Amino acid sequence: MNSFDAESTDWLCPNLRSHWRLRQAKAYGCWVLQATATAHRLRLQECEVYALRHFTGDLTVGDVQQLCQEKFGDRIPPNFVLRLLAKLVKMGVLVPDHADAPMRRVGLKAGVRWSQQWDGQWILGSPDGKHHIQVLPQHKPIVEQIGQMPNAALAQRHGCDPIHVNWLTQMLLQKQMLEGMELPATTHRKWTPFSLLFIKKPLLNPDRWLARQITILGWVWSAPVLWLLCSFLGLSAVMATAQSVDITFQGQVLIQAYGWRLLLPFGLLSMLVVSLHELAHAFTLKHFGGLVSEMGLLFMCLIPAAYTNSSDSYLVSRWQRCLVVGAGVLCQIVIAAIAFWVWFSTANSSSIHTGAYLLMVAALFTVALNLNPLAKFDGYYLLAAVTGINNLKGRSFTLYRAWLNRQSSPEVGQQRWILAAYAPLSFLYLLLVFGRLLLWLVSTILTHAPYLTLSLFGLWLIYYIYPTASDEPISQPRQKIPFQSGSAPTQRN
């Protein structure tokens, strides 16, 4: 490498300590850069020695140049460190590594977005809207300065533990919010039967399509439409209550006439309702300026449904987030109301009458399922949005863990009592619902197919225990630099 462009000042100065060391040659009255494995050495000037002491893999060319400029002033040229790098490359101390596409210093990616929450905490969103992390107010300046100096110096400046700064760095890296560092290699977890409980398959990024449609549908979120919708739903509720006996009787007649054959059309209509429900989330979030980066299929206990990545709602206001979460449930209620009026106004013998009834029941059933705050459905996220407590479930169990360990409570004020009430209710729900479901599943399998089940379980156990190459530990991610340290120079001074 014989030349450097203006962007070279953002390169990280490499760490030479693996193959080279600085030592004072008293016989020659100077400092030399000595190879650790051979007798090769390179004579250095005082300013070069000072610069190489800062070649630790943490500082950029610009950082080292500034340090040298402060110490030696006008005695060194403005491109002193770049010339030193060229000299090291020429003498074989450094070997260019992908010099045409050097890696920048570590730092936040362009386009990351900050949003302050009502309780003073900050939410940081990735440029693509897929990932978000919550940051305490005192940690915001640390996050913004990651990469500008070594983590140890950053921790000392802000008076915190370097381990915590490293943890923040790793968290930002995992959420794809940092540039200048490689994403650490990950191992694929071995398949377990519990994987069937939750399968997510992304299909598309609808953000551009939603942005085009929202300019046409913006009137949907206007005040007149809201009042009209409230009136329609109120009238529908009154009429449905008056027809409650006929609605119940219609269900009994259909069950007696069709039995299990109703499951297929009911399931298909439920999928339609859930798909429209997810579109309501997506359009509402887009209306408030958020990013909708992902839509796809979701299988819960092998039951198919649609999903929308609406996590960018964390960056909008608290009230807008409530509307984004509630839009899906409101859409289902509107569908149920429309289906009721179609059922009410058609003849009993028509297929439209039966189909409208099934659609109404499917919409109401999915509403009841979605509004459960003890499972991570819309009811849970709506409760989190209303109370302003992000990560409601995790923080509630963390609170009890602190109490059991006789530590000070990490929560204060009214939030502490909400979390204290939520954790036991969530635990009982998991125990009663999933515990009974697991017992029923085990009992059914052992009753109808015990030998086949035990054989399959034995094969899976062998597969799970047998070690593979991917089970080997993964080394920590390393910063890329545009040079690699050579073990010996090609020529001596």
Side-chain angles (χ1 to χ4, degrees), residues 316-336:
V316 299
S317 69
R318 186 178 174 185
W319 170 243
Q320 290 173 343
R321 184 183 171 196
C322 292
L323 293 179
V324 171
V325 178
V329 175
L330 181 60
C331 177
Q332 291 172 284
I333 296 176
V334 170
I335 292 173

Side-chain angles (χ1 to χ4, degrees), residues 149-213:
M149 63 184 71
N151 284 355
L154 186 59
Q156 184 177 8
R157 168 178 289 188
H158 293 276
C160 65
D161 194 332
I163 296 178
H164 187 72
V165 178
N166 292 335
W167 176 79
L168 284 172
T169 304
Q170 292 298 321
M171 183 172 59
L172 291 168
L173 181 63
Q174 292 173 2
K175 297 299 183 180
Q176 302 176 18
M177 298 184 189
L178 281 184
E179 59 183 357
M181 290 185 71
E182 291 181 325
L183 191 66
T186 57
T187 57
H188 295 285
R189 294 183 178 180
K190 292 187 175 181
W191 183 87
T192 67
F194 292 103
S195 302
L196 298 176
L197 297 177
F198 189 86
I199 302 174
K200 183 184 287 188
K201 181 64 177 178
L203 294 180
L204 54 93
N205 184 340
D207 195 70
R208 291 185 179 179
W209 179 80
L210 292 171
R212 292 194 298 267
Q213 306 305 318

Side-chain angles (χ1 to χ4, degrees), residues 291-471:
L291 295 175
V292 184
S293 57
E294 188 177 278
M295 295 185 74
L297 289 177
L298 178 67
F299 295 88
M300 299 187 65
C301 298
L302 299 181
I303 300 175
Y307 81 92
T308 298
N309 186 342
S310 57
S311 59
D312 217 42
S313 61
Y314 288 111
L315 298 183
V316 299
S317 69
R318 186 178 174 185
W319 170 243
Q320 290 173 343
R321 184 183 171 196
C322 292
L323 293 179
V324 171
V325 178
V329 175
L330 181 60
C331 177
Q332 291 172 284
I333 296 176
V334 170
I335 292 173
I338 295 173
F340 164 76
W341 286 108
V342 174
W343 170 81
F344 180 76
S345 59
T346 53
N348 294 346
S349 58
S350 67
S351 58
I352 296 178
H353 184 82
T354 303
Y357 182 87
L358 289 177
L359 179 61
M360 177 182 63
V361 174
L364 293 177
F365 173 77
T366 52
V367 165
L369 190 66
N370 266 319
L371 283 180
N372 178 11
L374 299 178
K376 285 196 172 182
F377 299 136
D378 283 353
Y380 169 83
Y381 293 106
L382 188 59
L383 179 61
V386 171
T387 59
I389 305 176
N390 296 325
N391 191 22
L392 175 63
K393 185 174 183 179
R395 289 170 64 178
S396 65
F397 283 97
T398 300
L399 176 64
Y400 275 90
R401 191 179 300 113
W403 283 347
L404 291 174
N405 293 330
R406 298 183 179 181
Q407 299 175 351
S408 60
S409 172
E411 306 291 345
V412 295
Q414 184 181 2
Q415 288 188 349
R416 178 171 56 184
W417 304 115
I418 297 175
L419 294 170
Y422 185 86
L425 292 175
S426 177
F427 178 76
L428 288 176
Y429 171 79
L430 291 174
L431 186 64
L432 295 177
V433 175
F434 287 96
R436 293 184 62 181
L437 179 62
L438 182 61
L439 289 176
W440 172 82
L441 182 62
V442 171
S443 176
T444 302
I445 290 176
L446 294 180
T447 301
H448 296 89
Y451 298 109
L452 177 61
T453 302
L454 290 175
S455 300
L456 293 176
F457 179 77
L459 292 174
W460 170 80
L461 197 60
I462 295 173
Y463 151 79
Y464 189 79
I465 296 177
Y466 189 79
T468 60
S470 59
D471 294 331

